[in-house]
Amino acid sequence: MQVILFTDIADTPGYGKYAGSYKLATEVRRAGYTCQVIDNFSWLGLDRLKSLIDKFVTSETIAVGISCTLNEKRLDNTVRHWGIEEAEFVRLIDYIKLKNNNTQIIAGGSRITSHSNWPYIDYTVVNKGDIALIKILDHIKNGTGLLFNRNNHT
């Protein structure tokens, strides 16, 4: 799989999926890339997430996108907008890089300013990402230029 998008469910009553990741997946596929969306990111736990990475991250994977419009389970400093503890998040990124060190980590979503300077995020997308993500993927895969690229944040 070339692109994996992690998303979560809304923290409102009932089961509600965030539409953004599915819109992104549609545009990624239209651009000719393969894409897998994985729901329930913050609820799966590190072992299940690693199992999914084992299944989907391969030598052809160029990017893993992670929504920061995720459930915020606690308001203290141990859990941020990823919905999981920061140390667990870093272990997840390390595991992705272990599977394919060339995989780029892209973060986006409504709370992106909270994560735009984290060292383990390669690219960030502010605002709607349906066009920006394709530009980043083309940049990673084909070396095409980016309109805005300061400190690897788009």
Side-chain angles (χ1 to χ4, degrees):
M1 195 66 53
Q2 291 174 301
V3 180
I4 295 97
L5 300 175
F6 284 109
T7 189
D8 218 325
I9 56 173
D11 54 356
T12 57
Y15 181 85
K17 294 181 178 185
Y18 291 118
S21 296
Y22 290 94
K23 170 65 173 163
L24 291 175
T26 297
E27 298 306 321
V28 165
R29 292 177 186 124
R30 281 187 185 154
Y33 296 96
T34 58
C35 184
Q36 177 67 45
V37 177
I38 299 173
D39 283 320
N40 300 310
F41 175 79
S42 70
W43 302 97
L44 292 173
L46 189 57
D47 289 338
R48 284 190 205 137
L49 289 168
K50 284 182 174 181
S51 176
L52 290 165
I53 290 165
D54 287 340
K55 181 175 183 177
F56 293 113
V57 175
T58 67
S59 61
E60 71 173 13
T61 303
I62 60 174
V64 172
I66 303 171
S67 171
C68 67
T69 311
L70 302 175
N71 290 327
E72 189 171 350
K73 294 181 184 176
R74 292 195 301 265
L75 297 177
D76 62 21
N77 289 331
T78 61
V79 175
R80 300 202 181 166
H81 299 292
W82 307 116
I84 62 177
E85 292 182 18
E86 184 175 342
E88 187 172 296
F89 184 79
V90 172
R91 285 194 297 275
L92 178 67
I93 300 303
D94 287 344
Y95 194 72
I96 292 168
K97 296 289 189 169
L98 181 66
K99 295 289 292 180
N100 179 346
N101 193 45
N102 294 319
T103 299
Q104 300 293 289
I105 307 301
I106 303 171
S110 67
R111 299 174 178 159
I112 194 57
T113 56
S114 300
H115 308 293
S116 59
N117 291 316
W118 286 12
Y120 36 81
I121 303 299
D122 298 302
Y123 297 90
T124 57
V125 176
V126 179
N127 296 320
K128 295 178 181 175
D130 49 336
I131 296 170
L133 180 58
I134 303 308
K135 298 289 186 186
I136 292 170
L137 295 175
D138 290 344
H139 172 73
I140 295 167
K141 185 176 181 191
N142 304 318
T144 57
L146 291 175
L147 181 61
F148 178 72
N149 183 6
R150 182 179 63 195
N151 298 328
N152 287 338
H153 298 286
T154 300

